[in-house]
Structures are given as structure tokens and as C-alpha cells.
Amino acid sequence: MIEEVILFQIDKTSKVAKQYSQREFDRLGLEITVEQWILLKIVHESNDISQKELAEKSLRDPASITRTLDLLQKKELINRLPIPENRRQYSIDLSKKGVVFIKTNMPLVDAHRKKSIEGLSEKEQRNLNELLKRIQENMS
Amino acid sequence: MIEEVILFQIDKTSKVAKQYSQREFDRLGLEITVEQWILLKIVHESNDISQKELAEKSLRDPASITRTLDLLQKKELINRLPIPENRRQYSIDLSKKGVVFIKTNMPLVDAHRKKSIEGLSEKEQRNLNELLKRIQENMS
DNA sequence: AACTATTAATTGATATATCAATAATTGACA
DNA sequence: TGTCAATTATTGATATATCAATTAATAGTT
């Protein structure tokens, strides 16, 4: 039975959590997807990040990053700055609006993260992380 | 840092594992996606399953199931059988070709599953499963 | 029986995932 | 220095995810 496969349960957990956050985003009218939030957050945490680096950090395809950044640019949440040292790449950063957006909604996202691990001790969390890392290693 | 968020690591693990399997499928010329394999497998494990039930078991949207079944039907791996008791729904089952496909490739998929949990003791596997279930509960 | 609500599947629209191909730029090095 | 290789971002094609709207069929109610 497929429900007994650990990879299936990992995927299920990921889906359930994303759906939970997306529903909350929608309910509060954030007009953003979870994937878009993750990109914004990485940009917020980084200095002068390129699209290639964004793809690596977010574990997504460069082609997909291009398209999502187009949307975020349309929403005026990010800027693509040409950099003189290398005219092949852009430096991505948050617009003022983007910074405000992150600061305003970070508490909500933090609440989701806390809720996801409710009832798990520190030790259980570390343990889970470690087991996940080992599976990642096995599959790479 | 987003790498420290457990949900991020869960998602990463899911992605890495899917990519691993997909690469193997491609390398061996199976001409099928991982999502398609999962649907086939559920159909194989079920008797007279409807699309609605398939959506629930696979944790996917009914609209998405419709489209993936269209593809699997084009590949002649499944049949949609009209059922007289309820003409709104179909009974999905594997074609002969589909049964052969599953039987031929199941050992490969089993190998992937085993590889994913290589080095994890029975106890660690149970523990992981239990922690994942608790997170699923938290997010539902 | 007639009306209404519900259900199963489909379709449309938009966002994302992935691979392949391409364009522009930069790097390597003979 | 000029050619070829590698790099970064984009675009096209196809598959999947999700929501909303629609269609056809069935269930429930009076």
C-alpha cells in the first residue's frame, strides 16, 4: 500500500502544509502564492542575489524563477538590477513595498511554522531534521 | 534562515526524491512521470476505483486527475469503464499493457524506496512516520 | 412528478516544474 | 587575439496544482 511508503508520507506532509498556508494567505487576501513568498523571503535574507542562486536556494528551476520573478515584479515587490560586473545576470532585491510586505506578514508565517511543529520537542525536531537529511543524502 | 525551517526540509526531501526517481525513469526510457506512476500504482492496488477516490488517495485535485488519466489513456495504460449504477462516474482500471508495465517496473521503484531509507533502522523509520503524521495533524 | 440540492467529471484560467533550445555575455587558452 | 566553451537568463513545450464554473446525472423533499 502506497500509504506505507515513507516518501509518500513526506510528500503528503509537504502538500498538507502548503495547502494550509495557502488557504491562510487567501483568507487574509495576501494575493501571493506560497512559492512566491518563499522567493521573497530568500531575497530578503540575501544581499545581491542572482537568479541562478535563487534557483539553487529555493530548489527550483531557473526557468521557473524567471517566471515567478516576472509576477513579483508586476506586483512591484522586487527589483531586477543590472550589475555592471556581469551583464548576463541581475541582482534581485526587494522593493520598499516588498520589505513592508515581508515585515507585515512574517508573524503570520512564523505562526504557521510554529503550528506545524506543535507538540514536537526540541529533540524530536532535531531528530526529524537529521532523518530528513539522511534521506536527502540517499537520494543525491 | 529558511534552511532551518522544518517544512522547508520536508519539501526539499520530497523534491530530491522525486527528481531522483524521475531521472531514473527517464534514463530507462519509461516515458512516464512519477505522478503518473503513483496513479497507476493506486489503480493497481484498488478494485473499481473512481476518479474522485483516486484524487483523495493520491492527494491531488480531481481536475488534475482528469488530465493525467487522459494521458495514461492515450498511452493505453488504463481504461475508463462506464458503470451502469452511476453514469456520472467511471471505474478506472489498468489495461493489460498497464498491468505488464507495473509488474515490469515495480522492482525498480521498490529499489528507489529502499534506497531512500538506506541506513535508517526500523525504529527510526517508525519514528519518522510518526513525526510526519503529527505534523500532518497540526496542519489539518 | 417536479423542484432543488448535491455529486462526479470536465474545462478554463493561472501558477509552477522540467527539459530543451536559444541569446547574450563572459571565460579559457591556444 | 580570436575561437570555442561555459554561464546566465529567457522562451517554448508539456505536465501538474488549484480554483471556479459548467455539465450531466442522481438524491432528497415536498
Side-chain angles (χ1 to χ4, degrees):
Chain A
M1 289 306 232
I2 203 152
E3 288 84 3
E4 294 156 13
V5 178
I6 284 189
L7 292 179
F8 183 84
Q9 291 300 333
I10 292 173
D11 190 46
K12 176 171 181 178
T13 312
S14 177
K15 281 181 174 168
V16 166
K18 259 186 207 162
Q19 285 161 354
Y20 178 91
S21 290
Q22 190 64 62
R23 272 197 309 272
E24 286 284 289
F25 282 10
D26 294 347
R27 189 173 66 77
L28 298 171
L30 262 61
E31 298 194 320
I32 198 179
T33 68
V34 170
E35 302 304 332
Q36 288 170 16
W37 170 271
I38 292 171
L39 272 203
L40 283 185
K41 194 61 181 46
I42 294 176
V43 171
H44 182 63
E45 287 174 357
S46 314
N47 282 335
D48 287 336
I49 194 166
S50 69
Q51 298 188 196
K52 176 182 150 61
E53 291 167 328
L54 259 180
E56 285 161 3
K57 280 222 181 196
S58 63
L59 312 168
R60 291 174 55 187
D61 194 272
S64 195
I65 299 297
T66 292
R67 283 152 185 148
T68 300
L69 288 182
D70 288 346
L71 294 171
L72 291 173
Q73 210 167 12
K74 237 179 255 167
K75 293 184 214 266
E76 298 182 333
L77 292 169
I78 61 131
N79 299 310
R80 274 182 171 103
L81 304 174
I83 64 177
E85 311 90 66
N86 188 341
R87 284 182 298 168
R88 271 175 317 196
Q89 57 183 30
Y90 297 103
S91 167
I92 312 297
D93 71 355
L94 293 185
S95 66
K96 279 176 195 164
K97 192 175 162 191
V99 174
V100 171
F101 186 85
I102 285 281
K103 291 204 171 146
T104 306
N105 296 304
M106 198 59 228
L108 171 70
V109 174
D110 269 333
H112 295 175
R113 292 176 181 173
K114 284 210 181 98
K115 186 162 169 52
S116 73
I117 52 176
E118 224 167 51
L120 274 69
S121 69
E122 287 284 339
K123 190 179 165 191
E124 284 172 327
Q125 292 174 42
R126 276 198 307 276
N127 193 229
L128 174 54
N129 248 311
E130 193 240 326
L131 292 170
L132 291 171
K133 290 252 162 85
R134 277 160 66 189
I135 293 177
Q136 289 167 21
E137 283 298 317
N138 285 343
M139 297 277 97
S140 60
Chain B
M1 289 310 230
I2 203 154
E3 288 84 2
E4 294 156 11
V5 178
I6 284 189
L7 292 178
F8 182 84
Q9 291 301 333
I10 292 174
D11 190 45
K12 177 172 180 177
T13 312
S14 177
K15 280 181 174 167
V16 167
K18 258 185 208 166
Q19 286 161 355
Y20 178 90
S21 290
Q22 190 65 62
R23 271 196 311 272
E24 285 285 290
F25 282 10
D26 294 347
R27 189 174 66 78
L28 297 172
L30 263 61
E31 299 195 319
I32 197 178
T33 68
V34 171
E35 302 304 332
Q36 288 169 16
W37 170 272
I38 293 171
L39 273 202
L40 283 184
K41 194 61 181 46
I42 294 176
V43 172
H44 182 62
E45 287 174 357
S46 314
N47 281 335
D48 286 337
I49 194 165
S50 68
Q51 297 189 195
K52 176 180 150 61
E53 291 167 327
L54 259 180
E56 285 160 5
K57 281 224 181 196
S58 63
L59 310 169
R60 291 174 55 187
D61 194 90
S64 194
I65 299 297
T66 292
R67 283 154 184 146
T68 301
L69 288 182
D70 288 346
L71 294 171
L72 291 173
Q73 208 166 13
K74 235 178 257 167
K75 293 183 215 267
E76 299 182 333
L77 293 169
I78 61 132
N79 300 310
R80 275 181 170 104
L81 304 173
I83 63 176
E85 311 90 65
N86 188 341
R87 283 182 299 169
R88 272 175 316 196
Q89 57 184 32
Y90 297 103
S91 168
I92 312 298
D93 71 356
L94 293 185
S95 66
K96 278 177 196 165
K97 193 175 162 191
V99 174
V100 171
F101 186 85
I102 286 280
K103 290 204 170 146
T104 307
N105 296 304
M106 197 60 228
L108 171 71
V109 174
D110 268 333
H112 296 175
R113 293 176 180 173
K114 283 210 181 99
K115 186 161 169 54
S116 74
I117 51 175
E118 222 167 52
L120 274 70
S121 69
E122 287 284 338
K123 191 180 167 191
E124 283 172 327
Q125 292 175 41
R126 276 196 309 274
N127 193 228
L128 175 54
N129 249 312
E130 193 240 326
L131 292 170
L132 291 171
K133 290 253 163 84
R134 278 159 66 190
I135 293 176
Q136 289 168 19
E137 284 297 317
N138 285 343
M139 297 277 97
S140 61

